[in-house]
Each structure stands twice: as structure tokens, then as C-alpha cells.
Amino acid sequence: MGLLEAVAESTLEGLALASKSDPDGAVGRLQIVADLADPTIKRVGRFGWRATSASVVDQTAVALNADMGVTTRALPTHICGKATAGSDCRSQDGKGPELSDSDLELLVRYTSLLAVPATRHFDGEQPLGIHAEKILAQTPAETSLQVQAENMMQSSVARGRELFVQARCTACHAATLQTGRTHRFAELRGQTIRPYTDMLLHDMGAELADTYPQGRASQQEWRTPPLWGLGLVEKIDAKVRYLHDGRARTLEEAILWHGGQGQASRDRFKAMDADDRRKLIDFLRSL
């Protein structure tokens, strides 16, 4: 997350400006949010479903408070209900933050500096990789089949990447960004990253709308989610669901739910033959 935080606001402003001339009308908007520590300071949002947090520390504090009921100095009061039980909740606020500044800082450092998962099946990747010890127990024929399978997957992923670009998915899922030179963690500065997001708000159509607009974002607008690590999510949770409300059971379903500014890319995906659609999905799974 620190790498996304390290992208300069001017870069995101440039992406928003350039999108105004997008041939598919995929015009992205900046979400502008108040800094939790000093609400008079306005920043470009980049985290959350609607880019409602501008920094890792703010996103962490919000998640602790809204999702887990844990207070910090940044958000010292609980989100309590209006029923009788709410008074018990509110009575806890006077006891002070439940998480210290130092513990919050540790969480922020961890989430900021946790490495991005490595891509897989890229051109030239060695198919034996870390599984070399298993290869020693295989027959030459088994090894040959494994190498052939990996070479075929690399070819499929390479073609899928081309199709991803041809469908203009990159109009919103920007493949490459550059981090700035001023982030507090030196190791995050001046890097070329490939998160596949522009971190802008895009209108995704009425079918993906909810009833909870936030900040400048309407009910139909969502931040473009980063795609890096996408192919490993199902390794973490075999029952993984996709999109903001988990309605999509597969990556293909997630693409087919795209409407609004994503509709033209969705229609190009639908027009592909089954083999090309599979290759594009193979590419997404390689991230």
C-alpha cells in the first residue's frame, strides 16, 4: 500500500486530466478528502472502495474504527448504534483510544512496506523455480511435460496481456505508475510500479450502484481497484468473491458486470472467442 501512497498527487491529477479525452468516455475523477489529523488539509484520496482515504495511516485508522470497533487518537469515538446498547458503546469513548500511537504506527509500517506479490508465468520465467527439489524426483519425461506446460502458460499470459490492452481495460486499470521522490520511506521512492489502477473514480453504471455515496463519489462511482496480487486471492480464500459486494463468483463474471465507463471494454471482451477470453483471464491470474 505504501507504493500506492508514494505516487505523487500530480500524477493522479494528470491521469484525470488525460482521461477527459478518452475515446470510450472513461473519464476519471479525483476524490478529495480531509486529512484525519488536520481536516483543514485536503488530499487526493486513493484507498477504499471510493478512495475515501488519502494515506495508509488514515485508511488503517478508519478500518480499525469502522470494521473492528477499535479507537485510535485519529478516530477516538466508536460508531455506536442508536438503540439502548448504544449507550454502553458510547460510554467506552471516555476511556481514551484503545490502540496506542506506537501500535498504530507498527500497523502502518507493516501495511506500507509489505511486498507486492511477484507476477507469475511471465516471458522467460524459469518453470522449475523454487520447485527444483521436486524435479529431482521426477522422470525426464515428467519434467519435459512440466516445462512444456509452463511454456504454454507463458504464451497464453503474453497474449492475454495484449488482449487486455486491446480491450482498453488499461483506460482505467493503468498498467504503470511512477512513485514520487518525497515519501517518508526512502525504499518506496522513485520506483516504477505496475498496480493496474489509476486510483480515480469511475462511473460503473446503474447495475453496480449502491445506496451509499461517499464524498464526491456518487452511488455509481468506484475507485479503480489495483489488480496486482489478483491471481493469488483464491489461494488465500478458496471461496473468494469479486467486486465491492462479492456478487461476482469468477473473474469473468467481474468483467461482465462492468457497465457505464467500463462497458466498451466489457463488450470487447464479450466479442472475443472463448480461447482469447481464457487467455485474458490467464493474464489476470498471473498478476
Short mmCIF file of all heavy atoms in Angstrom, two decimals, residues 117 120-121 153 227-243 248-254 278 281-287:
data_model
loop_
_atom_site.label_atom_id
_atom_site.label_comp_id
_atom_site.label_asym_id
_atom_site.label_seq_id
_atom_site.Cartn_x
_atom_site.Cartn_y
_atom_site.Cartn_z
N PRO A 117 3.12 -9.09 -4.30
CA PRO A 117 3.35 -10.46 -4.77
C PRO A 117 3.99 -10.46 -6.16
O PRO A 117 3.64 -9.63 -7.01
CB PRO A 117 1.94 -11.06 -4.82
CG PRO A 117 1.13 -10.24 -3.88
CD PRO A 117 1.70 -8.86 -3.97
N ARG A 120 3.60 -14.12 -12.11
CA ARG A 120 3.95 -15.48 -12.49
C ARG A 120 3.72 -15.69 -13.98
O ARG A 120 2.94 -14.97 -14.60
CB ARG A 120 3.11 -16.49 -11.68
CG ARG A 120 3.41 -16.41 -10.18
CD ARG A 120 2.28 -16.96 -9.34
NE ARG A 120 0.98 -16.37 -9.62
CZ ARG A 120 0.62 -15.14 -9.26
NH1 ARG A 120 1.47 -14.36 -8.61
NH2 ARG A 120 -0.58 -14.68 -9.55
N HIS A 121 4.41 -16.67 -14.54
CA HIS A 121 4.24 -17.07 -15.94
C HIS A 121 4.59 -15.95 -16.92
O HIS A 121 4.02 -15.87 -18.01
CB HIS A 121 2.81 -17.55 -16.20
CG HIS A 121 2.31 -18.55 -15.20
ND1 HIS A 121 2.95 -19.75 -14.98
CD2 HIS A 121 1.24 -18.53 -14.35
CE1 HIS A 121 2.30 -20.43 -14.04
NE2 HIS A 121 1.28 -19.71 -13.64
N MET A 153 1.73 -21.76 -20.81
CA MET A 153 1.10 -20.76 -19.96
C MET A 153 1.73 -19.39 -20.17
O MET A 153 1.03 -18.37 -20.21
CB MET A 153 1.19 -21.18 -18.50
CG MET A 153 0.54 -20.19 -17.53
SD MET A 153 -1.21 -19.86 -17.88
CE MET A 153 -1.93 -21.41 -17.35
N LEU A 227 -4.97 -4.37 -9.47
CA LEU A 227 -5.09 -5.77 -9.85
C LEU A 227 -3.89 -6.61 -9.42
O LEU A 227 -3.95 -7.85 -9.53
CB LEU A 227 -5.28 -5.90 -11.37
CG LEU A 227 -6.53 -5.22 -11.95
CD1 LEU A 227 -6.61 -5.47 -13.45
CD2 LEU A 227 -7.80 -5.68 -11.25
N TRP A 228 -2.82 -5.95 -8.94
CA TRP A 228 -1.68 -6.78 -8.56
C TRP A 228 -2.06 -7.70 -7.40
O TRP A 228 -2.81 -7.34 -6.50
CB TRP A 228 -0.44 -5.96 -8.25
CG TRP A 228 -0.55 -4.84 -7.25
CD1 TRP A 228 -1.57 -4.57 -6.38
CD2 TRP A 228 0.42 -3.81 -7.05
NE1 TRP A 228 -1.29 -3.44 -5.64
CE2 TRP A 228 -0.08 -2.96 -6.02
CE3 TRP A 228 1.66 -3.52 -7.60
CZ2 TRP A 228 0.62 -1.85 -5.57
CZ3 TRP A 228 2.36 -2.42 -7.15
CH2 TRP A 228 1.84 -1.60 -6.15
N GLY A 229 -1.59 -8.93 -7.45
CA GLY A 229 -1.95 -9.93 -6.46
C GLY A 229 -3.28 -10.61 -6.71
O GLY A 229 -3.68 -11.51 -5.95
N LEU A 230 -3.99 -10.22 -7.78
CA LEU A 230 -5.33 -10.74 -8.03
C LEU A 230 -5.34 -12.26 -8.17
O LEU A 230 -6.25 -12.93 -7.67
CB LEU A 230 -5.89 -10.09 -9.30
CG LEU A 230 -7.34 -10.42 -9.67
CD1 LEU A 230 -8.29 -9.89 -8.62
CD2 LEU A 230 -7.68 -9.83 -11.04
N GLY A 231 -4.33 -12.79 -8.84
CA GLY A 231 -4.32 -14.23 -9.10
C GLY A 231 -4.05 -15.09 -7.88
O GLY A 231 -4.20 -16.31 -7.93
N LEU A 232 -3.64 -14.46 -6.77
CA LEU A 232 -3.34 -15.22 -5.56
C LEU A 232 -4.46 -15.16 -4.53
O LEU A 232 -4.39 -15.84 -3.51
CB LEU A 232 -2.03 -14.69 -4.94
CG LEU A 232 -0.76 -14.89 -5.78
CD1 LEU A 232 0.43 -14.24 -5.09
CD2 LEU A 232 -0.50 -16.37 -6.02
N VAL A 233 -5.48 -14.36 -4.80
CA VAL A 233 -6.55 -14.20 -3.82
C VAL A 233 -7.24 -15.53 -3.54
O VAL A 233 -7.55 -15.85 -2.39
CB VAL A 233 -7.58 -13.15 -4.31
CG1 VAL A 233 -8.74 -13.04 -3.33
CG2 VAL A 233 -6.91 -11.80 -4.48
N GLU A 234 -7.47 -16.32 -4.57
CA GLU A 234 -8.15 -17.60 -4.36
C GLU A 234 -7.27 -18.60 -3.62
O GLU A 234 -7.77 -19.59 -3.09
CB GLU A 234 -8.60 -18.18 -5.70
CG GLU A 234 -7.48 -18.51 -6.66
CD GLU A 234 -8.00 -19.01 -8.00
OE1 GLU A 234 -9.22 -18.95 -8.24
OE2 GLU A 234 -7.18 -19.44 -8.83
N LYS A 235 -5.95 -18.35 -3.56
CA LYS A 235 -5.07 -19.19 -2.76
C LYS A 235 -5.25 -18.89 -1.27
O LYS A 235 -5.01 -19.75 -0.42
CB LYS A 235 -3.61 -18.96 -3.16
CG LYS A 235 -3.30 -19.19 -4.63
CD LYS A 235 -3.48 -20.65 -5.02
CE LYS A 235 -3.06 -20.86 -6.47
NZ LYS A 235 -3.27 -22.27 -6.89
N ILE A 236 -5.65 -17.66 -0.99
CA ILE A 236 -5.90 -17.25 0.39
C ILE A 236 -7.29 -17.68 0.83
O ILE A 236 -7.49 -18.14 1.96
CB ILE A 236 -5.74 -15.72 0.53
CG1 ILE A 236 -4.32 -15.30 0.14
CG2 ILE A 236 -6.06 -15.26 1.95
CD1 ILE A 236 -4.16 -13.80 -0.01
N ASP A 237 -8.25 -17.53 -0.06
CA ASP A 237 -9.64 -17.87 0.24
C ASP A 237 -10.23 -18.58 -0.97
O ASP A 237 -10.53 -17.96 -1.99
CB ASP A 237 -10.43 -16.60 0.56
CG ASP A 237 -11.90 -16.89 0.89
OD1 ASP A 237 -12.27 -18.08 0.96
OD2 ASP A 237 -12.66 -15.92 1.05
N ALA A 238 -10.42 -19.88 -0.85
CA ALA A 238 -10.94 -20.68 -1.97
C ALA A 238 -12.35 -20.26 -2.35
O ALA A 238 -12.81 -20.55 -3.46
CB ALA A 238 -10.91 -22.16 -1.61
N LYS A 239 -13.06 -19.59 -1.46
CA LYS A 239 -14.42 -19.15 -1.72
C LYS A 239 -14.48 -17.66 -2.05
O LYS A 239 -15.50 -17.00 -1.83
CB LYS A 239 -15.32 -19.46 -0.53
CG LYS A 239 -15.43 -20.95 -0.21
CD LYS A 239 -16.35 -21.20 0.99
CE LYS A 239 -16.45 -22.68 1.30
NZ LYS A 239 -17.34 -22.93 2.47
N VAL A 240 -13.39 -17.13 -2.56
CA VAL A 240 -13.30 -15.70 -2.82
C VAL A 240 -14.41 -15.25 -3.78
O VAL A 240 -14.82 -15.97 -4.68
CB VAL A 240 -11.91 -15.34 -3.42
CG1 VAL A 240 -11.70 -16.02 -4.76
CG2 VAL A 240 -11.76 -13.84 -3.56
N ARG A 241 -14.92 -14.04 -3.54
CA ARG A 241 -15.87 -13.39 -4.43
C ARG A 241 -15.27 -12.05 -4.83
O ARG A 241 -14.41 -11.51 -4.15
CB ARG A 241 -17.22 -13.19 -3.74
CG ARG A 241 -17.83 -14.45 -3.16
CD ARG A 241 -18.31 -15.38 -4.25
NE ARG A 241 -19.51 -14.86 -4.89
CZ ARG A 241 -20.69 -15.47 -4.88
NH1 ARG A 241 -20.81 -16.61 -4.26
NH2 ARG A 241 -21.73 -14.94 -5.51
N TYR A 242 -15.76 -11.51 -5.94
CA TYR A 242 -15.16 -10.30 -6.51
C TYR A 242 -16.19 -9.17 -6.59
O TYR A 242 -17.39 -9.38 -6.49
CB TYR A 242 -14.59 -10.59 -7.89
CG TYR A 242 -13.56 -11.70 -7.89
CD1 TYR A 242 -13.91 -13.00 -8.20
CD2 TYR A 242 -12.23 -11.43 -7.56
CE1 TYR A 242 -12.97 -14.03 -8.19
CE2 TYR A 242 -11.28 -12.44 -7.54
CZ TYR A 242 -11.65 -13.74 -7.85
OH TYR A 242 -10.72 -14.74 -7.83
N LEU A 243 -15.69 -7.96 -6.80
CA LEU A 243 -16.41 -6.69 -6.82
C LEU A 243 -16.76 -6.26 -5.39
O LEU A 243 -16.56 -7.02 -4.44
CB LEU A 243 -17.66 -6.77 -7.70
CG LEU A 243 -17.37 -7.07 -9.19
CD1 LEU A 243 -18.68 -7.13 -9.97
CD2 LEU A 243 -16.44 -6.02 -9.80
N ALA A 248 -19.71 -11.24 -7.86
CA ALA A 248 -19.05 -12.00 -8.93
C ALA A 248 -18.33 -13.21 -8.35
O ALA A 248 -17.50 -13.09 -7.47
CB ALA A 248 -18.07 -11.11 -9.69
N ARG A 249 -18.65 -14.38 -8.89
CA ARG A 249 -18.04 -15.62 -8.41
C ARG A 249 -16.71 -15.89 -9.08
O ARG A 249 -15.88 -16.64 -8.56
CB ARG A 249 -18.98 -16.80 -8.65
CG ARG A 249 -20.31 -16.72 -7.88
CD ARG A 249 -21.31 -17.70 -8.41
NE ARG A 249 -21.68 -17.38 -9.80
CZ ARG A 249 -22.53 -18.10 -10.54
NH1 ARG A 249 -23.09 -19.18 -10.02
NH2 ARG A 249 -22.81 -17.73 -11.77
N THR A 250 -16.49 -15.30 -10.26
CA THR A 250 -15.28 -15.53 -11.03
C THR A 250 -14.79 -14.20 -11.60
O THR A 250 -15.52 -13.20 -11.63
CB THR A 250 -15.54 -16.49 -12.20
OG1 THR A 250 -16.46 -15.87 -13.13
CG2 THR A 250 -16.12 -17.82 -11.71
N LEU A 251 -13.55 -14.20 -12.09
CA LEU A 251 -13.02 -13.00 -12.72
C LEU A 251 -13.80 -12.67 -13.99
O LEU A 251 -14.01 -11.50 -14.31
CB LEU A 251 -11.54 -13.20 -13.06
CG LEU A 251 -10.60 -13.33 -11.86
CD1 LEU A 251 -9.17 -13.58 -12.33
CD2 LEU A 251 -10.65 -12.08 -10.99
N GLU A 252 -14.23 -13.69 -14.72
CA GLU A 252 -15.03 -13.44 -15.92
C GLU A 252 -16.34 -12.74 -15.56
O GLU A 252 -16.75 -11.79 -16.22
CB GLU A 252 -15.30 -14.74 -16.66
CG GLU A 252 -16.01 -14.52 -18.00
CD GLU A 252 -16.08 -15.77 -18.84
OE1 GLU A 252 -16.08 -16.87 -18.27
OE2 GLU A 252 -16.14 -15.64 -20.08
N GLU A 253 -16.99 -13.19 -14.50
CA GLU A 253 -18.22 -12.53 -14.07
C GLU A 253 -17.96 -11.08 -13.66
O GLU A 253 -18.77 -10.20 -13.95
CB GLU A 253 -18.86 -13.29 -12.90
CG GLU A 253 -19.58 -14.56 -13.30
CD GLU A 253 -20.36 -15.17 -12.15
OE1 GLU A 253 -20.45 -14.54 -11.07
OE2 GLU A 253 -20.89 -16.28 -12.32
N ALA A 254 -16.83 -10.86 -12.99
CA ALA A 254 -16.49 -9.49 -12.58
C ALA A 254 -16.37 -8.57 -13.80
O ALA A 254 -16.83 -7.42 -13.77
CB ALA A 254 -15.20 -9.49 -11.77
N ARG A 278 -10.17 -16.79 -22.39
CA ARG A 278 -9.42 -17.59 -21.42
C ARG A 278 -8.01 -17.03 -21.25
O ARG A 278 -7.50 -16.97 -20.12
CB ARG A 278 -9.34 -19.05 -21.89
CG ARG A 278 -8.51 -19.94 -20.97
CD ARG A 278 -8.35 -21.34 -21.54
NE ARG A 278 -7.72 -21.32 -22.85
CZ ARG A 278 -6.40 -21.19 -23.04
NH1 ARG A 278 -5.59 -21.01 -22.01
NH2 ARG A 278 -5.91 -21.20 -24.26
N ILE A 281 -8.04 -13.97 -19.05
CA ILE A 281 -8.18 -14.38 -17.65
C ILE A 281 -6.88 -14.97 -17.12
O ILE A 281 -6.49 -14.72 -15.97
CB ILE A 281 -9.33 -15.39 -17.50
CG1 ILE A 281 -10.66 -14.75 -17.89
CG2 ILE A 281 -9.40 -15.90 -16.06
CD1 ILE A 281 -11.08 -13.58 -17.05
N ASP A 282 -6.17 -15.74 -17.96
CA ASP A 282 -4.87 -16.27 -17.56
C ASP A 282 -3.92 -15.13 -17.20
O ASP A 282 -3.14 -15.23 -16.23
CB ASP A 282 -4.25 -17.12 -18.67
CG ASP A 282 -4.86 -18.51 -18.77
OD1 ASP A 282 -5.51 -18.94 -17.80
OD2 ASP A 282 -4.65 -19.16 -19.81
N PHE A 283 -3.97 -14.06 -17.97
CA PHE A 283 -3.12 -12.90 -17.66
C PHE A 283 -3.49 -12.30 -16.30
O PHE A 283 -2.60 -12.02 -15.48
CB PHE A 283 -3.27 -11.83 -18.75
CG PHE A 283 -2.77 -10.48 -18.34
CD1 PHE A 283 -1.42 -10.27 -18.07
CD2 PHE A 283 -3.65 -9.42 -18.18
CE1 PHE A 283 -0.95 -9.01 -17.67
CE2 PHE A 283 -3.20 -8.17 -17.79
CZ PHE A 283 -1.85 -7.98 -17.53
N LEU A 284 -4.77 -12.12 -16.04
CA LEU A 284 -5.19 -11.58 -14.74
C LEU A 284 -4.74 -12.48 -13.59
O LEU A 284 -4.31 -12.00 -12.54
CB LEU A 284 -6.70 -11.40 -14.70
CG LEU A 284 -7.29 -10.37 -15.67
CD1 LEU A 284 -8.81 -10.36 -15.56
CD2 LEU A 284 -6.73 -8.98 -15.42
N ARG A 285 -4.81 -13.79 -13.80
CA ARG A 285 -4.40 -14.73 -12.76
C ARG A 285 -2.88 -14.74 -12.55
O ARG A 285 -2.41 -15.23 -11.54
CB ARG A 285 -4.87 -16.14 -13.12
CG ARG A 285 -6.37 -16.32 -13.05
CD ARG A 285 -6.75 -17.77 -13.30
NE ARG A 285 -8.19 -17.97 -13.31
CZ ARG A 285 -8.95 -18.09 -12.22
NH1 ARG A 285 -8.37 -18.03 -11.02
NH2 ARG A 285 -10.25 -18.26 -12.31
N SER A 286 -2.15 -14.20 -13.53
CA SER A 286 -0.68 -14.18 -13.39
C SER A 286 -0.19 -13.00 -12.56
O SER A 286 0.98 -12.96 -12.17
CB SER A 286 -0.03 -14.10 -14.78
OG SER A 286 -0.11 -12.78 -15.33
N LEU A 287 -1.08 -12.05 -12.28
CA LEU A 287 -0.67 -10.84 -11.56
C LEU A 287 -0.52 -11.09 -10.07
O LEU A 287 -1.13 -12.00 -9.52
CB LEU A 287 -1.71 -9.73 -11.80
CG LEU A 287 -1.86 -9.27 -13.24
CD1 LEU A 287 -2.97 -8.23 -13.36
CD2 LEU A 287 -0.56 -8.70 -13.80
#
